[in-house]
């Protein structure tokens, strides 16, 4: 049985907190990412945790993140629930990335050939989801992880943060406010509650522009409303 040593917190998002950890086996140790999923709070409904758990274990594609292990209690002694805290936390062991696409773009580290490859890989990941009847619903650069490629000039990209993903169904009502506002399609800005995977294609286009130009096509303050963004 592997043991895990928490090294530091890497990030905190809507659906969980990610830690850098050392996985200690009998004769070896490896750096991994451990994601603690929010299971049942008013702000982070358990359904989102279950969706991420399902997607990260059932999606089999090189451009979609996949969990290496599922832990039903804290792997870190320091994260054990204190008195009064819920104990039904779920932890995913994930492959450790170099960074996310947002940082890669910000540091201007993408060469032209790698840029083209990024567009292809990200599109393949989205196509896989859509071909299996799934919308991602939260596509943006910091939800695309970057891994080392065959050499220092190539990278491997994986879609992550799948808690918002759900089956495509125009008959089912869905919240239009899951996407970060810079990447929301016009129908989401109009707060239409019945939509399909076309909203992912709009977000994908926004990500492509950002990869090529280094800037979001619709830079937006976080507090701005849907109506204000639509007028822009």
């Amino acid at each position: 049985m592997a043991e895990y040593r928490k090294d530091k917190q890497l990030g905190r998002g809507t659906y969980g907190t990610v830690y850098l950890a050392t996985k200690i086996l009998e004769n070896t140790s490896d750096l991994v990412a451990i994601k603690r999923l929010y299971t049942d709070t008013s702000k982070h409904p358990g359904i989102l945790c279950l969706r991420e758990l399902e997607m990260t274990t059932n999606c089999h594609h090189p451009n979609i993140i996949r969990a290496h292990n599922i832990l039903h209690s804290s792997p870190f002694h320091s994260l054990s629930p204190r008195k009064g805290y819920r104990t039904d936390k779920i932890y995913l062991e994930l492959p450790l990335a170099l960074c996310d696409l947002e940082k890669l773009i910000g540091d201007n580290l993408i060469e032209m050939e790698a840029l083209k490859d990024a567009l292809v890989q990200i599109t393949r990941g989205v196509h896989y989801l859509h071909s299996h009847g799934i919308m991602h619903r939260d596509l943006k650069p910091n939800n695309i992880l970057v891994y080392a490629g065959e050499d220092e000039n190539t990278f491997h990209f994986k879609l992550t943060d799948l808690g918002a993903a759900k089956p495509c169904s125009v008959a089912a009502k869905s919240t239009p406010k899951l996407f970060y506002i810079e990447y929301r399609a016009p129908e989401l800005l109009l707060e239409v509650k019945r939509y399909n995977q076309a909203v992912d294609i709009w977000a994908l286009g926004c990500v492509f522009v950002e990869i090529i130009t280094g800037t979001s096509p619709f830079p937006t303050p976080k507090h701005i409303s849907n109506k204000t963004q639509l007028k822009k």
Side-chain angles (χ1 to χ4, degrees), residues 47-93:
I47 186 64
L48 300 181
C49 166
L50 294 176
R51 284 177 185 163
E52 179 147 19
L53 184 63
E54 179 181 13
M55 298 298 172
T56 54
T57 54
N58 292 334
C59 288
H60 299 269
H61 191 274
N63 300 117
I64 305 289
I65 193 71
R66 182 168 171 79
H68 287 170
N69 198 7
I70 302 170
L71 307 167
H72 297 283
S73 60
S74 172
F76 313 125
H77 294 299
S78 59
L79 292 181
S80 297
R82 297 188 293 273
K83 185 177 180 180
Y85 277 47
R86 297 185 65 93
T87 58
D88 55 350
K89 299 289 192 298
I90 295 176
Y91 299 79
L92 300 177
E93 179 197 327

Side-chain angles (χ1 to χ4, degrees), residues 7-182:
D7 295 324
K8 66 178 181 178
Q9 181 175 310
L10 294 176
R12 184 182 180 90
T14 305
Y15 310 115
T17 301
V18 180
Y19 300 91
L20 172 65
T22 301
K23 181 179 181 179
I24 304 169
L25 300 170
E26 186 175 350
N27 298 313
T28 61
S29 63
D30 295 301
L31 290 177
V32 298
I34 296 290
K35 183 169 186 177
R36 180 174 66 178
L37 300 180
Y38 303 130
T39 53
D40 189 15
T41 69
S42 58
K43 187 176 181 181
H44 310 290
I47 186 64
L48 300 181
C49 166
L50 294 176
R51 284 177 185 163
E52 179 147 19
L53 184 63
E54 179 181 13
M55 298 298 172
T56 54
T57 54
N58 292 334
C59 288
H60 299 269
H61 191 274
N63 300 117
I64 305 289
I65 193 71
R66 182 168 171 79
H68 287 170
N69 198 7
I70 302 170
L71 307 167
H72 297 283
S73 60
S74 172
F76 313 125
H77 294 299
S78 59
L79 292 181
S80 297
R82 297 188 293 273
K83 185 177 180 180
Y85 277 47
R86 297 185 65 93
T87 58
D88 55 350
K89 299 289 192 298
I90 295 176
Y91 299 79
L92 300 177
E93 179 197 327
L94 304 169
L96 182 64
L98 296 174
C99 62
D100 60 34
L101 182 59
E102 183 176 55
K103 179 171 176 55
L104 199 67
I105 294 170
D107 291 347
N108 196 27
L109 296 175
I110 307 182
E111 300 291 338
M112 180 56 67
E113 287 305 312
L115 184 153
K116 294 176 182 177
D117 195 37
L119 302 182
V120 171
Q121 290 188 48
I122 296 166
T123 301
R124 285 174 176 164
V126 173
H127 176 263
Y128 173 86
L129 292 177
H130 289 182
S131 66
H132 286 75
I134 299 167
M135 295 183 285
H136 186 285
R137 300 201 304 165
D138 198 17
L139 285 172
K140 54 186 177 182
N142 62 359
N143 280 347
I144 300 170
L145 296 180
V146 182
Y147 294 84
E150 289 71 25
D151 57 62
E152 61 181 12
N153 296 317
T154 60
F155 301 100
H156 194 64
F157 300 88
K158 294 179 183 285
L159 306 184
T160 189
D161 271 20
L162 299 168
K166 68 178 295 187
C168 305
S169 174
V170 294
K173 289 186 178 181
S174 301
T175 174
K177 294 185 178 181
L178 281 171
F179 279 91
Y180 186 57
I181 196 165
E182 290 185 28

Side-chain angles (χ1 to χ4, degrees), residues 105 115 206-217:
I105 294 170
L115 184 153
C206 293
V207 171
F208 281 6
V209 171
E210 196 161 343
I211 291 174
I212 295 168
T213 66
T215 305
S216 168

